[in-house]
Amino acid sequence: MDKIGFLDYLKKKGLDGEAARRQLAIADHLDTMMSARNVAKGSGCGSRAARSLIDALVQSGEDSVDNILAILRYGYFVRNDEVYVEALTYLDGVEAMDNLYARLGRIAGEGVRDRIFSKIGPVTPGTDLKARSAAMRTVIGEVLSGLDKDRLDELFASSFRDLDDSHYSSEAGLLAGSNGVDGYIEAKKSEFIGDLKSCMDEGRLFFGQEITPAVMELVTSDPEMAFGRREGGSVYVTKIPFRADMWLKEKDPLKRRYLYCHCPWARESILSEEGTVPSEFCRCSAGFHKKPWEAALGRLVGCDVLESVLAGDDRCRFRIHID
């Protein structure tokens, strides 16, 4: 491993000397594990090594976001997609449970919140996804049985993801410079499809998944999948599958639903004998899809979950109310 190069990479990410050295130590440990195994990329060795190290960090109480981020950055730096994707799996949406905890306390009161969360054990960044899904299934089940409709609507009014407004700062200008709403939709579609094509042409992952010609055909042939299809005052959006190429090849309906689901807090529950996370939780994803529209229009908009793999449907589909 090029330690000097990795340190330089970390410093370009804005880490100070001490933080960079801590991440280097994690990456160097993983690199030693990988070298000892001496197995070619694509064998699953990278995924197993990353997962083994994360498990060790959990056992020592050191599974912080920064330490898992060091594993992700190592995977990116050495161009090992298996390591990168494994770490990304843990980091993607890691903030959702903490945000749910805080919002539930504000809306229902700390006493109600604490009673609900007392029913699950500790959930940390390195908690495996099956345990995360089990915890979320319990929490959402308790929330649905304990809160009235008004408080549920307030709780699920926006995503539990950290969706920084600065990330959407260009949306209003893009809408203003487009030929109305339809022009804005076409501009966003073109941007999304262009990103996918670049990933395919350059052999890069798109948020952890491989983009193949079959995936490109899937997205471009569905008018709702790239950014949405307007019908009157509504925009209909169908989510791209989480692992689209694998989903296209899979025949088993249950496994297809599993491969479709993006949510790291719910996906594993689809295969669980204990049942899925209640599909009401998909309103978190609705909040994600309506966020660009709220930034573009400068006001809050509503979004309905029309179909959801957690509810047993074959896809996830939403209706955003823009009028």
Side-chain angles (χ1 to χ4, degrees):
M1 177 184 175
D2 178 6
K3 295 181 182 181
I4 295 175
F6 188 65
L7 274 176
D8 185 56
Y9 163 69
L10 294 177
K11 289 176 181 178
K12 288 178 180 177
K13 288 287 184 182
L15 277 70
D16 61 30
E18 180 58 31
R21 284 189 290 273
R22 286 197 300 269
Q23 292 213 351
L24 173 61
I26 296 288
D28 189 42
H29 183 60
L30 179 57
D31 191 68
T32 300
M33 293 171 64
M34 296 286 291
S35 298
R37 299 185 184 203
N38 193 29
V39 181
K41 292 180 182 179
S43 64
C45 174
S47 298
R48 292 191 296 272
R51 186 161 56 248
S52 177
L53 179 52
I54 291 171
D55 288 344
L57 291 171
V58 171
Q59 291 300 315
S60 63
E62 298 176 289
D63 58 321
S64 65
V65 167
D66 282 345
N67 283 347
I68 299 176
L69 187 57
I71 296 172
L72 179 140
R73 286 171 169 160
Y74 166 84
Y76 180 84
F77 182 75
V78 301
R79 299 183 179 181
N80 189 310
D81 288 344
E82 291 181 356
V83 171
Y84 178 86
V85 170
E86 189 67 27
L88 180 62
T89 299
Y90 284 86
L91 293 174
D92 182 31
V94 67
E95 73 279 5
M97 185 68 95
D98 287 344
N99 288 342
L100 170 57
Y101 178 88
R103 194 183 303 174
L104 182 60
R106 292 194 300 270
I107 292 169
E110 294 181 0
V112 172
R113 188 262 324 271
D114 292 346
R115 177 187 61 78
I116 289 174
F117 273 80
S118 70
K119 297 181 180 295
I120 64 171
V123 179
T124 62
T127 298
D128 74 80
L129 299 193
K130 289 182 180 179
R132 282 193 197 183
S133 290
M136 189 61 77
R137 179 174 56 234
T138 297
V139 169
I140 298 301
E142 291 291 323
V143 163
L144 293 178
S145 65
L147 272 63
D148 59 31
K149 182 181 183 304
D150 288 343
R151 288 194 293 177
L152 285 173
D153 287 344
E154 187 177 358
L155 182 68
F156 290 109
S158 60
S159 178
F160 297 114
R161 301 290 300 268
D162 286 341
L163 304 178
D164 196 313
D165 288 342
S166 64
H167 181 71
Y168 300 90
S169 60
S170 64
E171 300 300 328
L174 181 59
L175 174 60
S178 301
N179 185 22
V181 167
D182 290 334
Y184 173 69
I185 291 174
E186 288 306 311
K188 295 294 290 185
K189 281 186 177 183
S190 178
E191 177 185 351
F192 183 72
I193 291 171
D195 287 345
L196 293 183
K197 188 174 187 306
S198 292
C199 287
M200 181 181 69
D201 292 345
E202 298 169 16
R204 292 184 291 108
L205 298 178
F206 179 78
F207 291 98
Q209 72 164 306
E210 180 185 8
I211 303 302
T212 64
V215 174
M216 290 297 302
E217 173 63 22
L218 171 70
V219 174
T220 56
S221 65
D222 188 329
E224 295 182 2
M225 195 167 283
F227 189 69
R229 173 185 61 84
R230 186 180 70 83
E231 186 176 309
S234 299
V235 175
Y236 293 85
V237 179
T238 296
K239 210 170 185 74
I240 182 175
F242 176 64
R243 293 290 182 258
D245 193 58
M246 297 171 66
W247 177 83
L248 286 166
K249 297 172 182 175
E250 182 58 60
K251 302 300 182 184
D252 181 81
L254 184 64
K255 291 180 181 177
R256 280 172 63 85
R257 287 170 52 210
Y258 173 80
L259 291 169
Y260 203 106
C261 182
H262 283 253
C263 182
W265 292 95
R267 183 168 54 251
E268 292 297 331
S269 73
I270 293 173
L271 301 180
S272 171
E273 294 181 356
E274 302 299 318
T276 64
V277 173
S279 60
E280 192 79 10
F281 187 56
C282 296
R283 293 174 70 176
C284 174
S285 187
F288 173 83
H289 283 286
K290 72 190 182 87
K291 179 70 175 183
W293 284 101
E294 292 179 335
L297 297 170
R299 56 178 170 80
L300 298 178
V301 301
C303 185
D304 305 322
V305 180
L306 301 179
E307 299 173 57
S308 161
V309 293
L310 290 186
D313 298 306
D314 295 329
R315 61 180 179 173
C316 296
R317 187 168 180 254
F318 307 88
R319 178 173 58 217
I320 303 168
H321 302 276
I322 60 172
D323 282 353

